[in-house]
Amino acid sequence: MQVCSVSFAGSHDDFLKAEKIARGGNYSEFKRVNEQLKHPLKPYVEMAFYKHHPHIKYQTEIEHFLQVYQHTPLEWPVRSAWLNYLAKHGHKAKFVENYSITKDVELTCQYLDFQWQLGAPKDALLEQIEKLWLVNKSQPKECDGVFSYWRKAGGQTPEIVWQRLGLAARVGQYKLVGYLKTQLPAKERYLADLYTKVKKDPSAAAGLYRYKNKSPKEAEIAVYGVKRLVWQDPDLAIRAWQKLSTMFTFSAQQQDKVHYALAYALAVKQHDEAKFWLNKVPDTKQDNKLVQWHLANMLREQDWPAIIAFFTPKKELSAGHQYWLAYSYSRQGKNEQANELWQKLATERDYYGFLAAARLDLPVNLNNQELTLPPGLKAKVEQAPGYKRAKVLYELDRVTSARREWNYLIDTSSNAEKLAAAVLASEQGWHDRAIITLARLKAWDYVDLRFPDAYTNLFERYSNRHKVDLDWSIAIARRESSFAADARSRANARGLMQLLPSTAQYINRSSVASKRLYEPSTNINLGTKYLKYLEGKTRGNQILATASYNAGYHRVNKWIPDEAMPAELWIELIPYRETRDYVKNVFAYRQVYLAKQGKNENVLATILDMNIGG
């Protein structure tokens, strides 16, 4: 970890000792060490005491702390502990006074309950209580009291019960659905069973006999069911919708939703009727996702005139749409129009810009901009308490707390200060903060900061050892983690190159402690070894290997067509948007790193020379 020293009287050891004393609960000892401590994390010592030992006798100090550190990461650990203490000991007015808006439902319900008991205006409270009740899951018992007030005031109508039942059914909260069923009028309770059946088995939506009354509520369930069924059985979903459309008078909004769902799912599944349903969706409902599948469908059919007709009238085209419009022109022999579009794209620093440059044999353009800061600005940010706290927390390897402080710093900074903070983060080796901050500012042209030379020695060592291209392994890490060594995905992938523990064990041929995947050396060693393994599995095809790194080799293998097609076309037709964008980004990032190394080759030229399948 590359860091710059922080100047203060008091070592990190002094802070850690003071924090331990504060947690212990001896007030006089806590005050003594805290008064002596001169350290950026001194507020964390106070937080440790007030969080673990809230008491009414410390009221003045706690409320002063909450006022001073309001909206900072220091606030809520103390405020939530303080509010829970006040609630437990019945300090109603003091609880209301100290309450602040929170996502903690228990505290919110307690606040509304105390407000009600203390005589606050009822109409405003009832509106807030209804929002808490109308959710797709059961709420904690702390809300029972306010819900009782709301029911007695006439808030729980059959219509709002139906709304909540639909929310609960769609996320599979069957126990809650069963309870809400008892709150419906007797003649409508069968609807709860129908909703549950359609959730568990979408094909039930095609059973026309289930819709006994042809009511609007049945129509709602039918729409939901067809939207689910199309992913399970497309042909049955189409037939069901056609028949249901004769049974119910669906609203225009319901029809648009179903047409969109059918169009999207059928396009993803490469169904023969995808084109028909894509064209059923009105232009006003065509978002970027559906336009992409329009394009994919036309590319799959190699319908170049259709692509030209589809995109030519549009005023604003994305880089991808411009590229494929140019490609379609070239396939129609309209080379002048094609080259004009490609010439324009070739000046851009992205996947399509680099592809266009390769097509025209032009040098790539990084459009790099040097970041020049006003005099004194960097020093000003460096002295900000939030920056100091973030920096020292990072030094102490408390990365989650460090990120919270960083986010607070960025949220309260001017754009110029954000840029200075990004420079400081990069200088101390905290590259993911620099990258994320620049992305937030849409400051895309500071290429050196956005594509840093991070962990260079390790990437060189292990790329050479496992015989994989250096720019490839670095680009994978840049895309996977933005060089955050502690990164962990929802799927439990870990570290710089985001390895699953199971993958690491397989590729290492022996067990690997999960925590070791956060070590840059271990992670890069196994990550580059895994890249080499995938390159071998795909017979040296780095496009397929890159896709496999994201989606898995066996899944990617199923996407390989029986008949050969140009690699650039195959990439555009990858059915998973995440993997499709992943491959494009990795190759674009490879090109950036090659250009930064002063190499003139265009790595995307290999895409143009390659076919996949067959």
Side-chain angles (χ1 to χ4, degrees):
M1 184 182 299
Q2 302 169 351
V3 296
C4 301
S5 61
V6 175
S7 177
F8 57 85
S11 68
H12 291 349
D13 284 343
D14 291 335
F15 158 69
L16 294 171
K17 290 174 183 175
E19 185 183 47
K20 184 177 180 180
I21 289 170
R23 285 177 178 163
N26 186 313
Y27 179 75
S28 59
E29 276 294 289
F30 151 63
K31 294 299 286 186
R32 181 184 65 80
V33 297
N34 198 50
E35 287 172 4
Q36 295 175 355
L37 187 65
K38 304 295 181 185
H39 191 279
L41 297 187
K42 181 174 180 175
Y44 278 79
V45 175
E46 298 173 58
M47 182 185 80
F49 184 85
Y50 299 136
K51 172 185 175 181
H52 294 288
H53 308 286
H55 197 280
I56 199 68
K57 63 186 176 183
Y58 309 132
Q59 173 186 328
T60 301
E61 294 177 36
I62 290 174
E63 290 180 350
H64 176 72
F65 181 90
L66 293 174
Q67 182 180 8
V68 171
Y69 296 105
Q70 188 176 19
H71 305 311
T72 74
L74 292 152
E75 176 191 1
W76 265 100
V78 174
R79 189 178 294 280
S80 60
W82 180 229
L83 289 172
N84 281 314
Y85 168 85
L86 294 173
K88 181 178 179 181
H89 293 86
H91 298 289
K92 300 177 184 179
K94 186 56 63 178
F95 182 102
V96 170
E97 181 184 335
N98 280 269
Y99 176 82
S100 185
I101 294 174
T102 175
K103 294 180 181 179
D104 188 319
V105 177
E106 295 179 13
L107 289 176
T108 301
C109 284
Q110 191 69 76
Y111 169 72
L112 294 171
D113 197 355
F114 285 164
Q115 283 268 72
W116 190 283
Q117 294 180 43
L118 293 169
K122 300 298 188 287
D123 288 346
L125 293 177
L126 290 170
E127 185 177 339
Q128 294 176 67
I129 294 168
E130 182 173 297
K131 289 180 180 178
L132 284 172
W133 189 86
L134 190 56
V135 295
N136 63 10
K137 60 183 179 180
S138 297
Q139 296 287 41
K141 58 181 175 48
E142 285 79 5
C143 297
D144 291 349
V146 292
F147 290 159
S148 178
Y149 303 148
W150 174 70
R151 288 191 191 93
K152 290 176 182 177
Q156 185 173 304
T157 63
E159 189 54 41
I160 200 168
V161 169
W162 172 251
Q163 289 180 46
R164 190 181 186 191
L165 189 148
L167 294 173
R170 289 194 288 273
V171 296
Q173 289 282 342
Y174 303 123
K175 186 175 180 180
L176 178 56
V177 171
Y179 164 73
L180 293 169
K181 172 182 174 180
T182 67
Q183 307 298 302
L184 285 174
K187 64 181 180 179
E188 292 189 349
R189 289 176 186 169
Y190 77 97
L191 292 167
D193 298 328
L194 179 56
Y195 231 140
T196 298
K197 190 165 189 64
V198 169
K199 168 64 178 176
K200 292 181 176 180
D201 179 12
S203 66
L208 305 186
Y209 67 92
R210 302 181 194 277
Y211 306 104
K212 302 175 182 178
N213 300 311
K214 315 297 184 292
S215 67
K217 289 185 173 70
E218 289 181 346
E220 182 180 326
I221 297 173
V223 166
Y224 170 70
V226 171
K227 288 167 61 180
R228 283 177 53 77
L229 178 58
V230 68
W231 292 99
Q232 183 185 85
D233 189 335
D235 293 321
L236 180 58
I238 293 169
R239 293 196 302 271
W241 177 245
Q242 290 169 339
K243 292 177 181 178
L244 288 166
S245 295
T246 66
M247 289 178 58
F248 294 101
T249 303
F250 293 109
S251 68
Q253 183 181 34
Q254 288 175 320
Q255 292 181 60
D256 287 343
K257 285 182 177 180
V258 173
H259 292 165
Y260 183 101
L262 291 173
Y264 179 53
L266 295 173
V268 171
K269 290 175 174 293
Q270 302 182 24
H271 193 278
D272 290 341
E273 292 194 37
K275 182 176 181 180
F276 172 81
W277 291 99
L278 283 165
N279 289 329
K280 289 274 286 184
V281 181
D283 287 344
T284 55
K285 305 296 179 182
Q286 297 264 357
D287 58 11
N288 291 335
K289 183 167 68 173
L290 210 60
V291 169
Q292 173 64 30
W293 284 107
H294 258 297
L295 172 61
N297 191 64
M298 292 183 287
L299 287 174
R300 189 175 294 109
E301 296 178 353
Q302 299 192 19
D303 192 345
W304 316 121
I307 294 174
I308 293 170
F310 186 81
F311 286 113
T312 300
K314 298 184 183 299
K315 294 181 180 179
E316 294 185 8
L317 296 178
S318 69
H321 299 157
Q322 291 179 58
Y323 182 86
W324 290 109
L325 177 58
Y327 189 95
S328 301
Y329 278 138
S330 71
R331 295 303 295 265
Q332 291 293 101
K334 300 178 180 179
N335 294 324
E336 186 176 342
Q337 292 99 316
N339 290 340
E340 183 179 350
L341 281 170
W342 278 331
Q343 187 90 30
K344 178 183 175 183
L345 276 176
T347 64
E348 299 299 321
R349 183 192 57 250
D350 61 16
Y351 170 78
Y352 293 105
F354 296 151
L355 265 185
R359 280 206 163 272
L360 300 180
D361 197 23
L362 295 173
V364 300
N365 192 342
L366 291 189
N367 296 312
N368 185 34
Q369 182 179 341
E370 295 296 327
L371 179 52
T372 304
L373 298 171
L377 182 60
K378 197 166 92 170
K380 175 186 173 184
V381 173
E382 200 166 17
Q383 292 305 310
Y387 176 78
K388 288 183 177 180
R389 293 196 296 267
K391 190 171 188 297
V392 174
L393 287 164
Y394 183 64
E395 288 181 15
L396 290 171
D397 206 26
R398 297 187 181 184
V399 184
T400 300
S401 294
R403 286 201 179 98
R404 289 177 183 144
E405 286 285 2
W406 180 272
N407 292 339
Y408 168 71
L409 173 74
I410 296 305
D411 287 342
T412 56
S413 298
S414 67
N415 286 348
E417 290 167 341
K418 289 181 177 68
L419 288 175
V423 171
L424 288 166
S426 184
E427 288 176 352
Q428 73 179 69
W430 203 4
H431 297 297
D432 65 303
R433 292 302 95 187
I435 292 167
I436 289 169
T437 301
L438 292 170
R440 180 169 171 176
L441 288 168
K442 300 188 185 304
W444 310 119
D445 291 337
Y446 300 122
V447 176
D448 289 336
L449 286 174
R450 292 186 56 233
F451 296 91
D453 298 320
Y455 304 98
T456 304
N457 292 338
L458 292 176
F459 278 112
E460 288 178 346
R461 179 193 307 167
Y462 293 113
S463 295
N464 289 334
R465 175 180 296 182
H466 300 301
K467 295 181 173 57
V468 298
D469 291 338
L470 174 63
D471 56 277
W472 190 24
S473 58
I474 294 175
I476 290 283
R478 170 62 173 81
R479 175 60 179 80
E480 288 284 357
S481 69
S482 296
F483 301 117
D486 66 312
R488 183 173 179 175
S489 74
R490 292 180 181 177
N492 200 31
R494 304 181 182 203
L496 289 165
M497 299 185 73
Q498 288 290 275
L499 288 170
L500 289 168
S502 57
T503 301
Q505 181 172 328
Y506 177 79
I507 210 69
N508 195 49
R509 297 184 179 179
S510 63
S511 61
V512 181
S514 294
K515 64 181 180 180
R516 290 195 60 208
L517 295 179
Y518 296 121
E519 298 172 1
S521 179
T522 300
N523 192 281
I524 294 172
N525 179 23
L526 294 176
T528 50
K529 190 175 182 180
Y530 183 45
L531 267 183
K532 186 62 179 179
Y533 166 80
L534 291 174
E535 191 175 22
K537 290 285 286 184
T538 57
R539 300 180 182 179
N541 189 311
Q542 293 183 349
I543 296 172
L544 295 177
T546 301
S548 298
Y549 198 97
N550 176 260
Y553 168 74
H554 294 293
R555 182 177 289 118
V556 171
N557 200 42
K558 293 177 182 178
W559 297 340
I560 298 175
D562 294 332
E563 295 184 11
M565 68 166 60
E568 61 185 321
L569 189 57
W570 182 84
I571 292 171
E572 202 68 42
L573 295 176
I574 291 174
Y576 284 14
R577 177 183 175 181
E578 179 189 333
T579 305
R580 186 167 64 245
D581 291 344
Y582 183 90
V583 173
K584 294 175 186 177
N585 286 334
V586 167
F587 271 82
Y589 293 174
R590 290 183 69 177
Q591 186 59 58
V592 170
Y593 276 104
L594 281 171
K596 281 189 64 181
Q597 294 166 23
K599 298 179 180 178
N600 295 325
E601 65 182 286
N602 188 328
V603 72
L604 278 79
T606 60
I607 295 176
L608 302 182
D609 296 334
M610 188 187 301
N611 286 327
I612 289 180

